[in-house]
Amino acid sequence: GQQVMQIPQYQHVQEGEDFTTYCNSSTTLSNIQWYKQRPGGHPVFLIQLVKSGEVKKQKRLTFQFGEAKKNSSLHITATQTTDVGTYFCAEHSGAGSYQLTFGKGTKLSVIP
Amino acid sequence: NAGVTQTPKFRVLKTGQSMTLLCAQDMNHEYMYWYRQDPGMGLRLIHYSVGEGTTAKGEVPDGYNVSRLKKQNFLLGLESAAPSQTSVYFCASSSNRAHQPQHFGDGTRLSIL
């Protein structure tokens, strides 16, 4: 089945620095979802991107979907300690598909 | 609103023992899922259900069985637990409209000795 490759696996940043995680696929994605999992917690849905070239913002978080719909990114401006956690991208394998395939996640550590 | 509730939260089993993990959702969602999460492996789908009385295999179904006798409940069974099944198990649910987000429970941390 389709796979989404997520990089980097780990990222350590100083508080106030920016952070970006990337999600790449060898095939065209129908959509991409992003989730955040706090340490010891469960994944929580952040956003969904559907359209080619789409950009969405949530406060300091900016989500992008590539023009070819084969990649996506999550950028956090001026990280805070509350941003600590693992960020996952996930994709549905086709129109109307029930299943999500998750990337392996990027674990973000923020040094105060 | 409770959302998705998983029981138990923690469990330690001996190899060969059996147990059932319970997932309950109060959002009237059609779709329900069981995942396992292991370090560095992300979330892997074990089994899923698209409605009451239906189940299907995911990416890593071996060693697990599931049942969806009621719409709000999705049970995950381990008939003969093995150490390789030590993991954190998450249940999730979603509505049956296309490309909907999944809502996760708090997880069950299972150790097999």
Side-chain angles (χ1 to χ4, degrees):
Chain A
Q2 287 185 307
Q3 285 189 335
V4 285
M5 306 302 293
Q6 202 172 343
I7 54 171
Q9 190 174 0
Y10 302 95
Q11 185 81 59
H12 305 275
V13 300
Q14 203 76 34
E15 187 174 15
E17 291 181 338
D18 292 354
F19 159 77
T20 305
T21 174
Y22 301 90
C23 191
N24 300 302
S25 172
S26 58
T27 58
T28 303
L29 303 169
S30 59
N31 69 346
I32 197 89
Q33 296 183 355
W34 285 93
Y35 291 77
K36 177 184 178 180
Q37 183 177 21
R38 294 181 186 274
H42 59 273
V44 175
F45 174 77
L46 294 176
I47 210 158
Q48 175 168 267
L49 304 172
V50 178
K51 299 177 183 177
S52 168
E54 190 169 14
V55 178
K56 289 187 177 180
K57 292 189 176 184
Q58 289 180 351
K59 297 184 180 178
R60 293 176 297 102
L61 277 61
T62 301
F63 303 85
Q64 292 189 325
F65 203 7
E67 293 290 341
K69 299 182 72 173
K70 290 186 176 181
N71 56 74
S72 180
S73 65
L74 158 59
H75 179 82
I76 302 178
T77 303
T79 55
Q80 301 175 357
T81 54
T82 53
D83 296 324
V84 164
T86 302
Y87 294 85
F88 294 97
C89 62
E91 58 97 9
H92 286 100
S93 59
S97 172
Y98 323 116
Q99 299 182 48
L100 278 176
T101 300
F102 283 83
K104 294 187 177 180
T106 296
K107 187 174 182 179
L108 173 64
S109 300
V110 179
I111 305 164
Chain B
N1 225 0
V4 179
T5 304
Q6 290 182 234
T7 53
K9 295 191 184 306
F10 304 94
R11 187 72 183 269
V12 178
L13 292 177
K14 293 182 180 178
T15 298
Q17 286 185 318
S18 63
M19 80 160 296
T20 300
L21 281 64
L22 173 64
C23 177
Q25 53 95 4
D26 62 2
M27 295 172 283
N28 201 35
H29 284 165
E30 289 291 335
Y31 302 163
M32 295 187 75
Y33 313 84
W34 275 107
Y35 294 91
R36 61 178 288 173
Q37 186 175 37
D38 303 293
M41 299 296 291
L43 289 152
R44 293 184 293 171
L45 183 65
I46 305 171
H47 286 279
Y48 65 98
S49 168
V50 300
E52 182 178 317
T54 72
T55 63
K57 293 180 179 180
E59 179 187 355
V60 289
D62 293 343
Y64 305 95
N65 56 75
V66 287
S67 63
R68 184 103 181 265
L69 299 179
K70 293 183 179 181
K71 185 178 181 179
Q72 64 268 33
N73 295 337
F74 195 27
L75 279 62
L76 177 71
L78 285 73
E79 289 188 351
S80 180
S84 61
Q85 294 177 304
T86 293
S87 188
V88 180
Y89 292 86
F90 287 102
C91 175
S93 71
S94 66
S95 77
N96 61 349
R97 290 181 291 133
H99 303 149
Q100 291 302 297
Q102 293 185 8
H103 301 262
F104 285 80
D106 289 339
T108 295
R109 190 171 297 274
L110 184 61
S111 295
I112 316 293
L113 305 178

